[in-house]
């Protein structure tokens, strides 16, 4: 009666759902959960006194996937009704943790034998950015990553890149090879003519100084492109 039973407040209906979802995660792991269910688990801690399933489903419907929700900008997340600043901060913490884990699988390891880890890291770091970023992985003589830096951030469809600055930084780090990476916020990783031209300019400056350009990878929400794989460099 009016939320009371035997003199005690009735337990909200979503408590049982939370317990069941936590048990599924504990018993089977996250791989068997739908994206909205994994997102619910994150939201449980941020929003303890509310049924968060509708919010989780709204976020997935608006952004597409768990990764895209986590990677969405704070400005876009603020446009979703029901998301407060504390919850947005928690989502950004999850994003930072995912990037740190992916980065740990790359640094100090030979990239040519862990190429899938390199791609996973670049995707985690850049796939859902709303502006173009130009990133460089600097490698030592064993092709292990010694540094990972975002050299330039541009607009939604252009990033200024200066070949001599790229090579200058490689020399400062005593790198013997580099991998160029940038993202296409449009989602389509197809290289443009400007991407190909810029890559050739960097190769032309780097080669005489003994610095190899192993690849130029373009990251999009829908996948990636390798200029080397496409025989464009």
């Amino acid at each position: 009666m009016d939320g009371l039973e035997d003199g005690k407040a009735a337990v909200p209906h979503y408590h049982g759902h939370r317990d069941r979802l936590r048990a599924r995660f504990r018993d089977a792991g996250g791989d068997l959960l739908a994206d909205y269910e994994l997102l619910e688990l994150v939201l449980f801690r941020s929003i303890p006194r509310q049924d968060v399933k509708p919010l989780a489903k709204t976020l997935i419907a608006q952004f597409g996937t768990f990764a895209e929700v986590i990677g969405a900008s704070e400005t876009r997340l603020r446009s979703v009704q029901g998301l407060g600043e504390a919850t947005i901060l928690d989502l950004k913490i999850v994003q930072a943790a995912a990037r740190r884990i992916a980065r740990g699988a790359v640094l100090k390891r030979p990239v040519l034998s862990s190429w899938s880890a390199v791609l996973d890291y670049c995707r985690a770091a850049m796939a859902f950015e709303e502006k173009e970023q130009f990133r460089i992985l600097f490698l030592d003589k064993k092709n292990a990553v010694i540094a990972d830096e975002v050299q330039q951030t541009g607009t939604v469809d252009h990033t200024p890149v200066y070949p001599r600055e790229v090579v200058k930084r490689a020399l400062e780090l005593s790198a013997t090879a580099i991998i160029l990476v940038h993202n296409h916020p449009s989602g389509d990783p197809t290289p443009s003519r400007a991407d190909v031209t810029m890559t050739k300019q960097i190769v032309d400056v780097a080669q005489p100084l003994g610095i190899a350009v192993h690849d130029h990878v373009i990251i999009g929400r829908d996948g990636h492109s390798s200029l080397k794989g496409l025989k464009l460099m």
Side-chain angles (χ1 to χ4, degrees):
M1 296 182 294
D2 296 329
L4 299 179
E5 184 176 340
D6 296 330
K8 296 181 180 180
V11 176
H13 71 280
Y14 56 82
H15 281 204
H17 170 68
R18 289 186 175 205
D19 290 341
R20 289 189 294 274
L21 189 55
R22 288 189 181 107
R24 283 179 57 204
F25 178 82
R26 183 171 54 248
D27 296 340
D31 290 344
L32 296 182
L33 299 183
D35 274 10
Y36 79 87
E37 292 175 317
L38 189 59
L39 189 55
E40 279 188 81
L41 288 169
V42 175
L43 295 176
F44 284 170
R45 298 184 178 279
S46 307
I47 309 174
R49 297 181 182 85
Q50 180 183 319
D51 180 4
V52 297
K53 180 189 280 188
L55 177 58
K57 287 190 170 183
T58 294
L59 287 164
I60 296 298
Q62 180 164 334
F63 294 100
T65 65
F66 179 88
E68 287 174 291
V69 173
I70 298 301
S73 69
E74 294 184 26
T75 299
R76 292 188 67 197
L77 290 172
R78 288 190 186 102
S79 70
V80 178
Q81 186 174 0
L83 275 187
E85 291 298 321
T87 306
I88 291 171
L89 177 62
D90 283 349
L91 294 177
K92 294 292 103 182
I93 291 171
V94 173
Q95 182 188 26
R99 287 180 174 178
R100 187 67 60 87
I101 292 168
R103 190 169 187 260
V106 172
L107 285 181
K108 308 299 182 182
R109 301 186 184 186
V111 298
L112 301 184
S113 61
S114 56
W115 190 242
S116 62
V118 173
L119 295 176
D120 287 345
Y121 167 60
C122 292
R123 179 172 171 77
M126 306 174 71
F128 307 116
E129 291 292 329
E130 296 180 347
K131 294 182 179 180
E132 278 199 10
Q133 290 183 349
F134 182 72
R135 180 181 297 269
I136 308 172
L137 304 181
F138 298 93
L139 315 179
D140 64 15
K141 61 184 179 181
K142 295 182 180 179
N143 282 323
V145 178
I146 55 176
D148 155 41
E149 298 180 355
V150 174
Q151 192 185 62
Q152 297 287 340
T153 298
T155 65
V156 295
D157 60 3
H158 175 68
T159 307
V161 177
Y162 306 100
R164 294 189 182 280
E165 291 299 316
V166 172
V167 175
K168 176 183 176 183
R169 184 57 178 152
L171 292 171
E172 290 173 348
L173 293 169
S174 298
T176 57
I178 57 176
I179 296 172
L180 312 175
V181 190
H182 84 277
N183 62 309
H184 280 179
S186 67
D188 180 4
T190 303
S192 67
R193 181 172 296 181
D195 293 335
V196 177
T197 299
M198 177 263 288
T199 304
K200 184 178 184 303
Q201 291 172 345
I202 294 175
V203 170
D204 289 345
V205 175
Q207 277 186 341
L209 297 174
I211 299 170
V213 181
H214 282 329
D215 205 345
H216 184 172
V217 178
I218 301 173
I219 302 292
R221 289 192 302 274
D222 305 322
H224 73 278
S225 292
S226 159
L227 268 68
K228 183 176 182 179
L230 294 169
K231 301 186 185 306
L232 295 174
M233 60 176 292

